[in-house]
Amino acid sequence: MKKITILINCKDSKGIIAAVTNFIHQQNGNIVYIDQHVDREDNMFFMRLECELLKESFSFRVFKNVFRDVIADKFEMTWRMYDSDQKPKMALFVSKYEHCLYDILSRYTTNELEVEIPLIISNHQDLEPIAKSFNIPYYYIKVTKETKQQAEDEQLKLLREFEIDFIVLARYMQIISSKLIEEYPNKIINIHHSFLPAFPGAKPYHSAFKRGVKIIGATSHYVTEELDEGPIIEQDITRISHINTIKDFILKGRDLEKIVLSRALKLHTKRKVMVFKNKTVVFK
Amino acid sequence: MKKITILINCKDSKGIIAAVTNFIHQQNGNIVYIDQHVDREDNMFFMRLECELLKESFSFRVFKNVFRDVIADKFEMTWRMYDSDQKPKMALFVSKYEHCLYDILSRYTTNELEVEIPLIISNHQDLEPIAKSFNIPYYYIKVTKETKQQAEDEQLKLLREFEIDFIVLARYMQIISSKLIEEYPNKIINIHHSFLPAFPGAKPYHSAFKRGVKIIGATSHYVTEELDEGPIIEQDITRISHINTIKDFILKGRDLEKIVLSRALKLHTKRKVMVFKNKTVVFK
Amino acid sequence: MKKITILINCKDSKGIIAAVTNFIHQQNGNIVYIDQHVDREDNMFFMRLECELLKESFSFRVFKNVFRDVIADKFEMTWRMYDSDQKPKMALFVSKYEHCLYDILSRYTTNELEVEIPLIISNHQDLEPIAKSFNIPYYYIKVTKETKQQAEDEQLKLLREFEIDFIVLARYMQIISSKLIEEYPNKIINIHHSFLPAFPGAKPYHSAFKRGVKIIGATSHYVTEELDEGPIIEQDITRISHINTIKDFILKGRDLEKIVLSRALKLHTKRKVMVFKNKTVVFK
Amino acid sequence: MKKITILINCKDSKGIIAAVTNFIHQQNGNIVYIDQHVDREDNMFFMRLECELLKESFSFRVFKNVFRDVIADKFEMTWRMYDSDQKPKMALFVSKYEHCLYDILSRYTTNELEVEIPLIISNHQDLEPIAKSFNIPYYYIKVTKETKQQAEDEQLKLLREFEIDFIVLARYMQIISSKLIEEYPNKIINIHHSFLPAFPGAKPYHSAFKRGVKIIGATSHYVTEELDEGPIIEQDITRISHINTIKDFILKGRDLEKIVLSRALKLHTKRKVMVFKNKTVVFK
């Protein structure tokens, strides 16, 4: 059997679910999962659907075309369709912090992630040995004020060459440019080490310490033009108290960053996240 | 518009979702919510669906009959259908602990619960003043070894008289008899003050203290013949440490009990819980 | 035995703990609990100590004087000493929301709080019946732009008359004036329905919904001149998702507000909170 | 300055804290941290204390002797004293699961753990490449029914040779023998993949799935003769629901196992854990 994942959003109206499920049924498909959401404020309909079709007679191209003609156009849908067997290709951007890199690569090595990682890009050479020990190509592209433009072009060239589908910033300490964001809209995942919207920008653990909060957090979100303001995919928190120093915040925070980033990238990889009006719909 | 909630489970097979959604569509209904689950181990299909139908032309009885004839019988479904406007009637059973009673009644008073509470039944007189302050009839039915049989008959008589749909044991300190359980299958909600299956039976906080656990819990479940072994609806936990005494366990536990029981009863009230093989499917 | 609680802070230096514990020992006291914290950034020492002394020979006044002369003055301590038997007197300020009021009063009634509540003050009459059902005097003091000054004077008069030690704002929907804050420094406890410093000010649930966060929170803090910027005593959070409406946020938030406020007021009541530089030290 | 950590427990009596703190003071030491606990049930006193002493004049041996003579013997203390600069030596036991191994070694590499890891011992060869990539000697000691006795002797020989202080079982799939347990009392840390005492023994995720719990957990504890019944150091949990398969339980569980085990081993390493009557006192 061929497994297909379909993500849909459009203006809400009567009969969408019936139309879609009927269509799958008529194509001799079997729906194995359906989840749907209606945003009542904006009157928007969202759906995620997994279905199985007989492999022999199935053509992904034809199926897509028929779906467009019969269903999508009628309801003026924004939609994506994926071959569930096809793993997305992910680029890792890192700088000097190794904890998220280790975490992602050890998950990758143990087949926990349904993804391919063809390359790691970094503005520093420090983490190259780690990449090497996991056998992932590591591209060192220096970024300075003067070379930023050129560095980006090099990055983009690599991303295209390796046909990268999405990017994970594993504590990459550089602002991502508009060009890259435009090329990868809602496809660049960042981990910010605070409970956004609290403490955006630099040194959130220091700010949290200063404010005397009793809980710290981490937030994974898609990168947009506005720094730390993109659609939130996942967040989590941990308790701290007056006995904890900033160093403790950083250590406890690391575990949060690892967990939250890995959850977000898994959700993205399984095509469970839809973005609308700078918010995410995250299907189960 | 008339709002209807349908709960379905049956052997999984192709086309169920299409058949159901199509049916609603043909009845000029609009699906406002659909959630579905397939238990791959047992090959069972579960669905919860909310739909809106034009009030004028709608007859609940007719709609049910047509659904049975056209859909339910075909797929050999176990199914329930509710008029969403109709609030279920709930009986509260209490003994001497007041924290869950206060919690439920204050939620009830502030219209947080979509339920009617026509009566409270107790084997003690202690909590009658609380019931009175919230204007809920309170029936004191003494239970002793000798009168247990008779007490139960009195309880059942009241439950029938008030057309009670389901029962909440808000720290009711008596074993529920088979007769009552049979009359209310998966309709008696209990709160047990441990993280089941750890520490079933009496004095779970004392056992937790003795074992030296670092986390305690509470579990809300449907009552079955096996004590504390019924289908779990909701659980939650809280951290404790060596500094906490049994008295602390009890105090911290109270807050857990209140929260977990209220969540479970809300889920039940909104018809979001299905039971299969002593486990629950809890729709969002 | 007489039980005494001592809270101390001063510049850190050698021998403070030895001096204090030695002092208690020499007074024939037994230390039943000691907790201490050193803020390395500011080089400040904090200690909380509970000790038991023989009741017959004990004079609180004399003990305080000796402690001051022998210990406190030497180390230039800021310190407080409490008779642990003496329950603090708390005033409740409410407006129209009843959930925190119900929660606190039901805890009060079941002797969960080591506190006296001589009165409730409100700018609305709505909650008077609840106060009545718990037998707590309820003072309705209308607050308008024109009468704000006068209303406050009335409030202060009542607080003095009843010898109120601290104030709990149980969703009181008025800004507290400087005069009241000065009279009760770090003695007015507020509950804010967001995870501060995120979403300060009005309508935090609406802001959280708009931003698309995956977790919402509540924060209990001491009231200072800066709105929602006082020292944080306690925070907690709950998960939400795209399916939750603002109404859900509010309902889920209520449970957070109740729990967080009750924890904060218990910590305050047990004299476990010290404030320094707009942050709290919260002893276990 | 020399930093010393002292752990004490003894029958509770008047004046212990004063005696100890006074002693440190007289030795020209400065107490930088003190935490204490009294178990009222058993009337036992526990204390953890960190102090700084002038390096030049300090002899660890002499200090220990004086402490014994002046303090410990008087109060009949069970006590331990550590040079805080001296990192404990830890042996890692693994089998085939790599997630905990990766987690610990990446923390080790990034200097998050105050420990030395001179060797890894395994009953399988599978994880040797990982050990190699982190440059840790890996000893493969096959364990079969017939060779169990001999394998253990080999293990013990290595542990002695490397002067191992404590052992971490990072999902080591063999029962530890009495001999090893006696040699390392409360010094062998295990991670069990359930919320103990629920689901002890084999295949806890399968049992949890079958029972239909809404929360799963992991427990780190010291190994004793009774399987999964040793003193609990740390536990944590994560939410699951009906949509999760056993495979999901295992994946979600992995993250729990990593976090809980790493927390437990950090607590042990920092000498924050005391054991009494099969329970732990875990200082902050």
Side-chain angles (χ1 to χ4, degrees), chain B residues 208-246:
Chain B
F209 181 81
K210 190 153 180 290
R211 179 61 186 92
V213 292
K214 299 300 180 191
I215 287 173
I216 55 170
T219 304
S220 191
H221 63 93
Y222 289 119
V223 173
T224 58
E225 293 285 340
E226 264 59 61
L227 186 67
D228 298 331
E229 304 231 329
I232 294 169
I233 307 167
E234 172 65 344
Q235 303 188 287
D236 212 341
I237 58 98
T238 197
R239 288 208 162 257
I240 46 92
S241 83
H242 64 271
I243 67 165
N244 295 120
T245 62
I246 288 179

Side-chain angles (χ1 to χ4, degrees), chain A residues 37 41 195 197 199 209-211 213-215 228-230 232 234-236 239 242 263 279-280 282, chain C residues 37 41 195 197 199 209-211 213-215 228-230 232 234-236 239 242 279-280 282:
Chain A
H37 169 63
E41 268 208 339
F195 186 89
F199 312 123
F209 180 81
K210 190 153 180 288
R211 178 62 186 92
V213 291
K214 298 301 181 190
I215 287 173
D228 298 331
E229 303 232 329
I232 293 171
E234 172 66 346
Q235 301 187 288
D236 212 342
R239 287 207 162 259
H242 65 272
R263 282 194 207 135
K279 292 167 68 169
T280 59
V282 179
Chain C
H37 169 64
E41 269 208 338
F195 185 88
F199 311 123
F209 181 80
K210 190 151 179 291
R211 178 62 185 92
V213 291
K214 299 302 180 189
I215 287 173
D228 298 331
E229 303 232 328
I232 294 171
E234 172 67 343
Q235 302 187 288
D236 211 343
R239 287 206 162 260
H242 64 271
K279 291 167 66 168
T280 59
V282 179

Side-chain angles (χ1 to χ4, degrees), chain A:
Chain A
M1 300 292 276
K2 197 77 204 156
K3 210 168 163 186
I4 299 296
T5 303
I6 309 174
L7 293 171
I8 290 164
N9 70 301
C10 59
K11 278 273 155 220
D12 192 28
S13 73
K14 263 197 185 183
I16 305 178
I17 299 174
V20 175
T21 55
N22 230 20
F23 170 82
I24 304 293
H25 197 45
Q26 279 156 4
Q27 301 285 319
N28 286 313
N30 187 33
I31 296 168
V32 291
Y33 170 91
I34 189 169
D35 202 350
Q36 136 281 0
H37 169 63
V38 177
D39 179 333
R40 301 264 164 236
E41 268 208 339
D42 290 303
N43 199 36
M44 285 297 291
F45 175 85
F46 300 84
M47 186 156 75
R48 184 176 180 278
L49 189 141
E50 288 175 15
C51 59
E52 289 172 344
L53 295 124
L54 277 178
K55 221 171 196 159
E56 301 84 62
S57 54
F58 181 77
S59 150
F60 192 62
R61 202 181 47 82
V62 172
F63 187 75
K64 273 181 91 164
N65 285 342
V66 179
F67 181 80
R68 187 202 310 111
D69 295 347
V70 179
I71 301 290
D73 284 356
K74 185 178 160 197
F75 291 97
E76 295 180 40
M77 291 173 171
T78 303
W79 60 287
R80 291 178 281 153
M81 192 180 284
Y82 299 100
D83 180 340
S84 300
D85 296 338
Q86 210 125 22
K87 291 184 186 173
K89 285 180 186 161
M90 162 178 140
L92 263 174
F93 279 46
V94 297
S95 290
K96 294 190 158 190
Y97 292 114
E98 64 272 80
H99 56 284
C100 284
L101 180 63
Y102 264 128
D103 186 71
I104 291 171
L105 294 186
S106 62
R107 289 174 197 274
Y108 182 55
T109 295
T110 56
N111 292 314
E112 200 182 305
L113 308 178
E114 292 158 44
V115 81
E116 276 180 48
I117 307 181
L119 84 163
I120 297 169
I121 292 175
S122 180
N123 57 332
H124 291 283
Q125 292 179 294
D126 306 53
L127 306 184
E128 183 152 20
I130 301 176
K132 201 165 267 174
S133 79
F134 285 89
N135 293 313
I136 319 256
Y138 186 93
Y139 292 85
Y140 164 52
I141 300 177
K142 201 176 171 179
V143 180
T144 62
K145 236 187 213 165
E146 295 75 35
T147 64
K148 197 163 168 67
Q149 180 71 46
Q150 183 194 325
E152 226 149 65
D153 292 341
E154 275 184 66
Q155 290 172 354
L156 260 174
K157 199 165 151 265
L158 279 170
L159 297 173
R160 281 169 192 154
E161 189 182 320
F162 284 93
E163 298 181 309
I164 291 304
D165 293 304
F166 74 106
I167 298 166
V168 166
L169 310 179
R171 299 296 313 273
Y172 181 65
M173 308 303 277
Q174 291 281 331
I175 306 282
I176 299 299
S177 75
S178 305
K179 208 200 243 175
L180 205 56
I181 295 171
E182 269 164 41
E183 186 99 358
Y184 286 93
N186 296 324
K187 285 176 177 169
I188 306 174
I189 299 173
N190 186 38
I191 179 73
H192 181 75
H193 42 312
S194 89
F195 186 89
L196 288 175
F199 312 123
K203 295 203 173 268
Y205 291 136
H206 289 74
S207 307
F209 180 81
K210 190 153 180 288
R211 178 62 186 92
V213 291
K214 298 301 181 190
I215 287 173
I216 54 169
T219 304
S220 191
H221 63 93
Y222 290 119
V223 174
T224 57
E225 292 286 340
E226 264 58 62
L227 187 67
D228 298 331
E229 303 232 329
I232 293 171
I233 307 167
E234 172 66 346
Q235 301 187 288
D236 212 342
I237 58 98
T238 197
R239 287 207 162 259
I240 47 91
S241 82
H242 65 272
I243 67 166
N244 295 120
T245 61
I246 289 179
K247 208 190 141 200
D248 296 332
F249 279 46
I250 291 169
L251 276 179
K252 277 167 165 268
R254 272 190 202 172
D255 280 353
L256 275 182
E257 294 162 31
K258 290 189 285 188
I259 290 282
V260 171
L261 180 56
S262 75
R263 282 194 207 135
L265 88 82
K266 281 183 191 182
L267 289 168
H268 182 90
T269 306
K270 291 179 176 168
R271 289 96 179 200
K272 295 197 167 176
V273 189
M274 298 187 76
V275 173
F276 183 73
K277 280 197 166 181
N278 209 44
K279 292 167 68 169
T280 59
V281 170
V282 179
F283 290 111
K284 285 281 158 193

Side-chain angles (χ1 to χ4, degrees), chain C residues 2-5 50 82-87 114 271:
Chain C
K2 196 78 204 156
K3 210 167 163 186
I4 298 296
T5 303
E50 289 175 15
Y82 299 101
D83 180 339
S84 301
D85 296 338
Q86 210 126 21
K87 290 184 187 174
E114 291 158 45
R271 290 96 181 199

Side-chain angles (χ1 to χ4, degrees), chain C residues 93 123 143 148 152 155 169 172-178 180-181 201 223-228:
Chain C
F93 278 47
N123 57 332
V143 179
K148 195 162 169 68
E152 225 148 68
Q155 290 171 355
L169 310 179
Y172 181 65
M173 309 301 279
Q174 290 282 329
I175 305 282
I176 300 298
S177 75
S178 306
L180 204 56
I181 295 171
V223 174
T224 57
E225 292 285 340
E226 264 59 61
L227 186 68
D228 298 331

